[in-house]
Amino acid sequence: MSPLVRGMLLSIAYADGEGGIGLTATGAMNRKFVHWAAVHFLWPGFTAKDLYSMNKVLNESDMPPLWVVRDMTRHLKLLRRKKNVLLPTRRGREFLVNPQAFFDLVATDYLYSYVHATEREEEVRARLRWWRMFLNLLNIKAREGCTPLDVVKILYPDLAPLSETEMTLEAWKLKSDLQYGVFQRLCWLGLLYEAREGLTLFQDGSFHKTPLWSACLQLESDTQSDIGVH
């Protein structure tokens, strides 16, 4: 299941069953819920073990997936604030009953229009016209697994002959934009997963398609065997 949809589902179910998600004086989700979310979300790269290895106590600001879950539930009007708690809306309860019916809406908004706290709106808009190309490219390259740097080499063939160190220096911004703007969004949506076994924190994993990818997407490249460097 999509980590994002699962996180939204769990959050709304918690709010429904616990009388709301408590908020702090500054409006952040309270520590009781953040700890619960860290344990139950099972978010790739942000499990309770991962998060508590960096912080002894977890606040909402320490768990990046929660920022997106909260933003999306608010944007789609699934949770509403009433005084110092977040409560499910009628639409939120409909989501609880049939989250699959909302998947296309969640996916479209998250991939194409959601602006993360670390991004600028212009960056998201600029990326919009490239999404079809990214999806078709990854449709082929992620069959066997690929890294953001592999995609950079395809999109910018002049950089391909550079050494790994030179690539890191020359293409850092390009790779970072792909890593967080494209690969991470597709992972959080549940269309890709990153194989990281045996890697250090600073090494890139290989990204692969999940079963959800082919279940959700129909692309021009479905019948193509490979994409070369052009």
Side-chain angles (χ1 to χ4, degrees), residues 112-154:
Y112 302 144
S113 58
Y114 175 70
V115 181
H116 191 270
T118 59
E119 292 182 305
R120 297 195 316 273
E121 190 175 342
E122 310 88 80
E123 292 174 335
V124 176
R125 281 206 306 267
R127 196 185 301 128
L128 194 57
R129 66 195 186 101
W130 297 105
W131 264 111
R132 198 76 186 173
M133 182 272 292
F134 286 135
L135 292 172
N136 274 297
L137 179 59
L138 291 171
N139 193 33
I140 293 169
K141 289 302 180 184
R143 287 172 190 161
E144 303 297 325
C146 67
T147 67
L149 219 47
D150 291 334
V151 175
V152 168
K153 289 176 182 177
I154 292 169

Side-chain angles (χ1 to χ4, degrees), residues 12 33-35 77-78 85 96 118 122 126 142 148 167 174 184 187 207 215 218:
I12 297 165
F33 174 72
V34 176
H35 169 75
K77 296 180 170 58
L78 305 178
V85 293
L96 284 183
T118 59
E122 310 88 80
M167 278 289 285
L174 297 170
Q184 180 173 278
C187 284
F207 290 83
Q218 284 188 314

